[in-house]
Amino acid sequence: MNMKKKVKIIASMFLSLVLITCFIPKHNLYAKSKPTIYIMGDSIAHSYEGNRYQNGWGQMLYRYFKHPSKKRTVHVKGASDYVDVIRYNTPELSIENWAKNGASVAIYDKYGMFQAIQKKLKKGDYVFIQLGHNEVYTQWWTGSTVSEYKTYLIDYIKKIRSKKAKPVLITPPPVNTSGKYIPYVPQYRAAMISIGKKYKVPLIDLGKKSADYFNLIGKKQARNMYVKDNMHFTPKGATTLAKILSVEIKYKSQLNPISGKVSLRTNSLYKTINKASKLKSKNITKKHGSICKRN
């Protein structure tokens, strides 16, 4: 075989390889096979898109997973007009926020919101449940007693697991008071913690973690996390809650594999939050509180 024929054969093989490569479908960064976190929450987690005054942690959480700049936001049809569902798609996972103002464990059942989420669940998905703020209004049909609250949580946990998905319990953050920050609705928090232990459900004690952190940084800084009603959060406050949650997700072995998808920017905040839980007020310095701003 002469040199010209060899060159032609090599060139032809190279061209064929290029053409084949061009027509191989690229990996879909937004494929449905990746895990989805569904958020069952109230106004504390709700997405207030376009609102510069008040935000919820549910609209901020995607920022602390890998590749947040590639996020795509889409509106999803909810169970009824009551629900405005927003889905945050990233290459690593999706977060679908069903949190709604005034929601409670009973609301998710009575409005068909939980049933709508359950239908969408697939193996490897997560359901974050942060409810408790509105349970205390037992004089209204939206509220629930502690016993009813437990019953609803157990029912949701069993149904989530029946779809091979993973429930995650999250205690409500504190309200802004004149005194020391403490976890809100303590009787419902205790009920959620007991259910988590009994049914071996991963639990993030956002109520205690955020209260400890706010006490660490002091009232002057912490009150800027809240809007005027002293219950809901400013964009800064919602961002802080999302950071605390992302830290807890990253360092909970029960939350693999999504714990591995959390951004590494949480490392310093993890140390700070743990200091907040251990240090007494007389040992707290401004240096500790400033770490959150840098992460």
Side-chain angles (χ1 to χ4, degrees), residues 97-134:
N97 192 6
W98 285 70
K100 184 66 182 176
N101 295 355
S104 63
V105 289
I107 285 287
Y108 271 86
D109 178 51
K110 292 175 181 177
Y111 273 84
M113 294 156 65
F114 175 76
Q115 293 81 350
I117 293 171
Q118 188 185 12
K119 285 179 182 178
K120 302 178 78 170
L121 289 175
K122 65 181 184 300
K123 185 177 179 180
D125 285 344
Y126 295 78
V127 182
F128 284 15
I129 304 173
Q130 187 253 281
L131 293 164
H133 271 266
N134 299 308

Side-chain angles (χ1 to χ4, degrees), residues 226-240:
Y226 294 87
V227 298
K228 289 182 180 179
D229 68 2
N230 291 319
M231 178 175 286
H232 298 94
F233 292 86
T234 62
K236 182 179 180 181
T239 298
T240 300

